[in-house]
Amino acid sequence: MSKYIPTRPDVVSIGALLSFNSTIGMVAKVAIAAAVDDINSSPKVLNGTKLKISALDANQNGFLGIIKALRLMENDTMAIIGPEFSVSAHTISQVANELQVPLLSFSATDPTLSSLEFPYFVRTTQSDLFQMSAISDIVDYYEWRDVIAIYVEDDYGRNGVSVLVDKLAEKRCKILYKAPLSHNMSRFDIIHVLNKIALMESRVLILHAYADLGLRVFDVAKDLSMMSAGFVWIATDWLSTELDAASGLARRAIDGIQGVLTLRIYTPDSEIKRKLVSRWERLNDRKSASGPVGLNTYGLYAYDTVWLLARAIDELLTQGSGISFSTDSELTQLNGKSLCFNSVRIFNEGNLLLKSIFKVNLTGVTGKLKCNSDGCVANPAYEVINVIGTGPRKIGYWSNYSGLSVVPPESQYSKPNDSSSSSQQLYGVVWPGQTSVKPRRWAYPNDGKPLRIAIQNAFFKEILYQAEGNGTYYGFCIDVFTAALNLLPYRITYQILPSIHGQHYPTGTELLHMVQMGEYDAVVGDISITTDRMRMVDFTQPYTDSGLVVVAPIRKLNSSTWAFLRPFTPMMWCVTGLSFLMVGLVIWILEHRRNDDFRGPPRKQVITILLFSFSTLSSSQREKTVTNLSRFVLIVWLFVVLILNSTYTASLSSILTVEQLSSNIKGIESLLASNDRIGYQRGSFSENYLVNELNILPERLVPLDSPEEYEKALINGPEKRGVAALVDERVYMELFLSTRCEFGIVGQDFMKISWAFAFQKDSPY
């Protein structure tokens, strides 16, 4: 059986599901009533049709909300504004789907409330998806990496934090610990939760709850000294909503939230917004029976939601569509002595009204509203608020378009999108403890749990070794580690755990894998930084530089009687002698016709040609040149003689004063071109580099375990199952060669590396 209402009725009924005792509910009740009055007082909105609003109190109860929604359905309600809370929206949306009644919520921000699951649910405010994006951008802006999430344990809290996890992961951040709270949790239980959080490393706390629970958490945190310097508190928009509406917030509550960051949904300034704000006090006095409340953002969205619904109803009626309701045959079967669903009706034109809602393009007090499957807010944005003194202080904005900025979002939309980290900006913040210094994101945990340190077994005692008897470690690496700890402004306790497994000392890579798996917190030693290792752990800043070098046997070139011939090669000696003869011959050709010194018997002239050039070595030639061309040749020759003399003198001095070393291997290129065996330090990364990067066959590589094995393998050489050369880090090789002069580094370093200490991924240390 259906009920038909004429095409353009005098009155249409809409409902509202609110919680009259909540801050948002009290503000929304006044705002919705004001919107209905404004619409009914203007004949141009619905063209003579009046809105009749029935507001019922759902009292933050999902089951009661269903009952109240069914009561509204008994009165031929075309649409319902609300519910106020996300938990209720999940359950009431099931009723709305069944009865085809659009549900327009101005405050249900749970991001999982999707039109795919609930086609008749329309969100007219911003989803927490954007709020969590803003929080993750704030965390990334201040270069924090670990946070703790404190949230109410229901759909609103869980789903919001779930989105926060994803958004933080995009910034390479994470939630270190999740602390769920129940809505009716006692003060003692809250103390227990916060005490546990105080023992953890992270000092960045994100509070996602309802106003009454959130304020109780801050009150306990203040008593536990968790609102002091060093802590960071970020509250979701519940706090700004409470501050805007509750003008009479207790002094203790204000003192307990000093330095907190929070968000407020951004609504641009406009004339219609200013008009509503200016008359809010009068509306509030007239409509609110529980005392005056301030106008907050959700009140603005509630006001706009009524206007949005009115425009959609007018669109539906203008199309000539009738309004009819019919009973649900499935519901009538449930009739019994205790349950009566006969009066609950399906809105037959609910789907048409839903389409009309999506067609409305409205500019209201909150800005532009154009609904689609994702919501009605065209450009999601928030104000970033810092609570200082008696109220909030705006330190910037966040928009889904450009991220964090100190200018209003609407001025960004006309510019190219730039959300890079360098363009993000916020004004200065006064943090908890009344300090303007950005808090460190973590502190050493108060539970006294020491760091579990593994020590890598070093190849040389000078690098790191353990003294027999007392088990104390000494060496370069441990000295650097303890010196760094002494420079820290806080105390760190640590425990060095044995890294030997049975008779096996793990390699550096194996130890880093143990850190990755959580067996150790860190590794101290001569750990080389490589790309593969950086995927497993986080490294500190490097504390020394090194590189791979080749070490091979060398032989001495001792001085002898004929050492004066070694500065020049035989070919160089021949070329030099021929040059002397050629210069003498050229000078004789140019001079003998005009110069008597170059005339005479043939024997004399031959002697002159042979001796003239050699005598220029000491400038003792007796013959004088008379032609200009001869003089030019002589000048050039004297310059050549100067170069030859200087080069010979320098080379001979070097030969006679410096020990000359020689090796058949000239560097890594020689090894690549040969098939000789190559030694390396067992367990080091050099094996992987030689095989994978230089394509050396694994069977050519010989693992060695000590400096003594290094020495023996080099002395034996490839002929006696030794090695032709060693490949290892320069630091090790310089220590090795300090007492072994028969070996030396040949060629240049062919890979630059650094040493650092290794910690677990994302460790604050």
Side-chain angles (χ1 to χ4, degrees):
M1 180 178 181
S2 62
K3 177 180 179 181
Y4 178 77
I5 298 176
T7 302
R8 178 65 70 170
D10 294 333
V11 177
V12 291
S13 296
I14 61 173
L17 286 176
L18 307 172
S19 294
F20 291 168
N21 61 344
S22 71
T23 300
I24 294 177
M26 289 186 290
V27 175
K29 185 178 180 181
V30 178
I32 290 172
V36 171
D37 288 347
D38 292 344
I39 292 168
N40 288 337
S41 63
S42 175
K44 295 182 180 180
V45 180
L46 288 174
N47 296 306
T49 301
K50 301 293 184 180
L51 279 182
K52 179 183 177 183
I53 181 76
S54 298
L56 300 182
D57 185 8
N59 197 27
Q60 304 185 39
N61 188 303
F63 176 75
L64 186 60
I66 294 177
I67 301 301
K68 296 298 177 71
L70 293 174
R71 284 187 56 187
L72 291 174
M73 295 300 101
E74 294 177 353
N75 300 322
D76 298 334
T77 301
M78 295 179 62
I80 298 176
I81 298 175
E84 179 182 334
F85 295 98
S86 298
V87 176
S88 301
H90 278 278
T91 56
I92 297 175
S93 292
Q94 304 285 355
V95 178
N97 289 349
E98 181 67 27
L99 301 180
Q100 300 178 21
V101 176
L103 199 64
L104 290 80
S105 179
F106 59 89
S107 59
T109 57
D110 182 353
T112 64
L113 285 167
S114 167
S115 59
L116 295 176
E117 183 180 3
F118 308 115
Y120 283 87
F121 175 82
V122 179
R123 193 198 318 270
T124 59
T125 187
Q126 296 185 21
S127 166
D128 278 340
L129 173 69
F130 303 108
Q131 180 168 210
M132 298 309 171
S133 295
I135 291 177
S136 67
D137 280 354
I138 292 173
V139 170
D140 182 60
Y141 174 78
Y142 288 111
E143 299 177 336
W144 300 318
R145 287 293 172 262
D146 302 326
V147 303
I148 292 176
I150 307 172
Y151 61 97
V152 62
E153 179 62 19
D154 61 12
D155 290 340
Y156 163 72
R158 283 192 304 270
N159 296 332
V161 170
S162 177
V163 172
L164 180 61
V165 170
D166 296 336
K167 294 300 180 182
L168 287 173
E170 294 175 5
K171 305 292 184 180
R172 294 194 64 190
C173 307
K174 68 177 182 179
I175 294 180
L176 186 66
Y177 178 72
K178 297 179 183 178
L181 306 175
S182 65
H183 186 70
N184 56 354
M185 183 174 278
S186 67
R187 181 179 179 85
F188 176 80
D189 292 333
I190 295 176
I191 291 174
H192 177 73
V193 172
L194 293 186
N195 274 330
K196 186 175 182 180
I197 292 173
L199 297 176
M200 298 180 181
E201 296 172 353
S202 179
R203 288 294 181 262
V204 183
L205 313 178
I206 298 174
L207 182 55
H208 184 51
Y210 301 114
D212 56 344
L213 176 60
L215 291 175
R216 283 191 286 136
V217 169
F218 280 130
D219 185 53
V220 172
K222 179 176 174 59
D223 291 342
L224 296 178
S225 300
M226 294 179 67
M227 299 301 299
S228 58
F231 283 89
V232 176
W233 286 86
I234 302 176
T236 49
D237 63 352
W238 64 265
L239 181 56
S240 64
T241 301
E242 188 71 14
L243 290 173
D244 291 341
S247 57
L249 202 62
R251 183 68 223 179
R252 177 177 174 83
I254 291 291
D255 291 341
I257 58 176
Q258 294 297 300
V260 174
L261 293 183
T262 185
L263 298 174
R264 177 196 288 143
I265 298 177
Y266 175 73
T267 56
D269 288 333
S270 63
E271 183 62 28
I272 55 176
K273 177 182 175 181
R274 285 192 289 269
K275 287 182 179 179
L276 178 61
V277 172
S278 64
R279 64 192 181 102
W280 178 256
E281 184 176 352
R282 176 174 53 84
L283 293 171
N284 189 26
D285 290 340
R286 182 164 59 91
K287 297 293 183 182
S288 177
S290 59
V293 289
L295 177 60
N296 57 29
T297 307
Y298 288 110
L300 298 176
Y301 274 106
Y303 182 87
D304 272 354
T305 301
V306 180
W307 275 90
L308 176 69
L309 181 56
R311 298 291 188 188
I313 292 174
D314 181 64
E315 172 71 19
L316 177 68
L317 298 178
T318 302
Q319 293 175 358
S321 175
I323 300 176
S324 60
F325 296 86
S326 60
T327 57
D328 189 337
S329 59
E330 295 183 0
L331 289 178
T332 56
Q333 295 175 6
L334 298 176
N335 269 342
K337 294 181 180 180
S338 301
L339 296 174
C340 181
F341 291 98
N342 276 337
S343 56
V344 177
R345 300 178 183 276
I346 296 174
F347 180 28
N348 295 330
E349 284 74 28
N351 187 46
L352 295 177
L353 179 58
L354 186 65
K355 292 180 180 178
S356 298
I357 291 173
F358 289 143
K359 291 180 181 178
V360 174
N361 193 348
L362 171 71
T363 300
V365 294
T366 60
K368 187 176 181 180
L369 289 178
K370 178 66 173 70
C371 291
N372 54 39
S373 58
D374 296 326
C376 291
V377 180
N379 296 303
Y382 286 87
E383 296 175 359
V384 184
I385 304 298
N386 183 204
V387 181
I388 296 297
T390 59
R393 168 177 164 264
K394 189 187 306 178
I395 62 170
Y397 305 88
W398 178 91
S399 73
N400 194 43
Y401 180 77
S402 57
L404 298 172
S405 175
V406 294
V407 298
E410 60 265 21
S411 63
Q412 300 284 332
Y413 299 139
S414 59
K415 302 176 182 178
N417 185 2
D418 183 10
S419 57
S420 61
S421 58
S422 60
S423 66
Q424 306 298 287
Q425 285 183 306
L426 288 175
Y427 289 122
V429 177
V430 178
W431 303 100
Q434 299 297 310
T435 176
S436 59
V437 179
K438 184 187 76 171
R440 200 170 52 230
R441 65 184 171 97
W442 65 282
Y444 188 76
N446 296 325
D447 58 1
K449 181 180 178 182
L451 283 177
R452 299 165 298 168
I453 303 293
I455 299 295
Q456 183 182 14
N457 184 39
F459 203 68
F460 291 88
K461 288 186 176 182
E462 293 86 350
I463 301 297
L464 187 64
Y465 75 98
Q466 184 179 15
E468 295 182 2
N470 59 10
T472 305
Y473 285 89
Y474 298 94
F476 172 69
C477 293
I478 202 70
D479 290 344
V480 173
F481 180 71
T482 53
L485 291 182
N486 293 334
L487 292 176
L488 293 177
Y490 46 86
R491 184 181 63 88
I492 291 181
T493 59
Y494 63 93
Q495 177 184 7
I496 296 179
L497 301 178
S499 56
I500 184 172
H501 289 247
Q503 298 299 319
H504 170 62
Y505 283 97
T507 64
T509 302
E510 290 172 344
L511 281 177
L512 296 181
H513 181 68
M514 294 177 188
V515 172
Q516 183 185 26
M517 300 305 295
E519 187 172 341
Y520 299 109
D521 294 314
V523 175
V524 171
D526 45 343
I527 306 294
S528 300
I529 303 174
T530 65
T531 303
D532 291 338
R533 291 176 172 183
M534 290 179 68
R535 298 189 182 101
M536 294 190 291
V537 296
D538 277 349
F539 287 97
T540 62
Q541 289 293 320
Y543 62 85
T544 191
D545 293 327
S546 186
L548 289 181
V549 296
V550 176
V551 170
I554 56 176
R555 65 178 185 273
K556 298 179 182 179
L557 298 178
N558 296 321
S559 301
S560 65
T561 307
W562 299 96
F564 70 91
L565 296 176
R566 286 168 53 188
F568 291 159
T569 63
M571 178 59 71
M572 186 64 182
W573 281 115
C574 293
V575 172
T576 302
L578 290 175
S579 298
F580 276 97
L581 293 177
M582 289 296 297
V583 170
L585 182 60
V586 169
I587 296 296
W588 177 81
I589 292 172
L590 296 175
E591 291 286 334
H592 82 283
R593 293 183 180 179
R594 300 175 56 184
N595 191 340
D596 292 338
D597 291 341
F598 290 89
R599 292 182 179 184
R603 184 172 178 271
K604 177 187 176 184
Q605 295 184 48
V606 171
I607 294 174
T608 300
I609 292 172
L610 293 174
L611 296 180
F612 179 80
S613 296
F614 287 99
S615 62
T616 57
L617 287 172
S618 58
S619 300
S620 60
Q621 68 273 16
R622 296 178 301 170
E623 296 81 10
K624 296 181 179 180
T625 55
V626 296
T627 65
N628 292 332
L629 188 56
S630 297
R631 291 169 180 170
F632 176 76
V633 172
L634 187 60
I635 290 173
V636 174
W637 174 244
L638 289 175
F639 181 72
V640 173
V641 168
L642 176 64
I643 295 175
L644 287 172
N645 191 28
S646 300
T647 304
Y648 178 84
T649 303
S651 298
L652 183 60
S653 300
S654 176
I655 291 172
L656 296 176
T657 58
V658 179
E659 182 181 57
Q660 297 296 297
L661 305 176
S662 177
S663 173
N664 294 329
I665 297 173
K666 304 303 180 184
I668 189 63
E669 295 80 7
S670 300
L671 293 178
L672 293 176
S674 69
N675 291 318
D676 293 335
R677 288 156 55 91
I678 304 171
Y680 70 93
Q681 183 185 149
R682 188 189 298 274
S684 72
F685 76 95
S686 55
E687 177 188 12
N688 181 68
Y689 182 80
L690 292 172
V691 173
N692 296 330
E693 300 297 331
L694 300 183
N695 298 319
I696 295 177
L697 296 177
E699 48 267 27
R700 290 181 56 193
L701 302 181
V702 180
L704 303 171
D705 296 308
S706 66
E708 291 74 20
E709 289 190 15
Y710 270 15
E711 182 178 11
K712 182 179 179 181
L714 286 173
I715 292 174
N716 290 338
E719 298 81 9
K720 298 181 180 180
R721 303 299 297 170
V723 298
L726 302 173
V727 173
D728 208 341
E729 298 182 42
R730 175 174 284 276
V731 176
Y732 301 134
M733 292 297 92
E734 288 179 348
L735 289 172
F736 175 72
L737 296 175
S738 62
T739 57
R740 297 169 177 87
C741 300
E742 65 271 28
F743 314 115
I745 296 175
V746 294
Q748 301 295 320
D749 297 15
F750 58 93
M751 181 187 178
K752 296 295 184 182
I753 55 175
S754 300
W755 288 358
F757 304 131
F759 288 83
Q760 291 181 356
K761 271 289 185 183
D762 299 321
S763 170
Y765 300 103

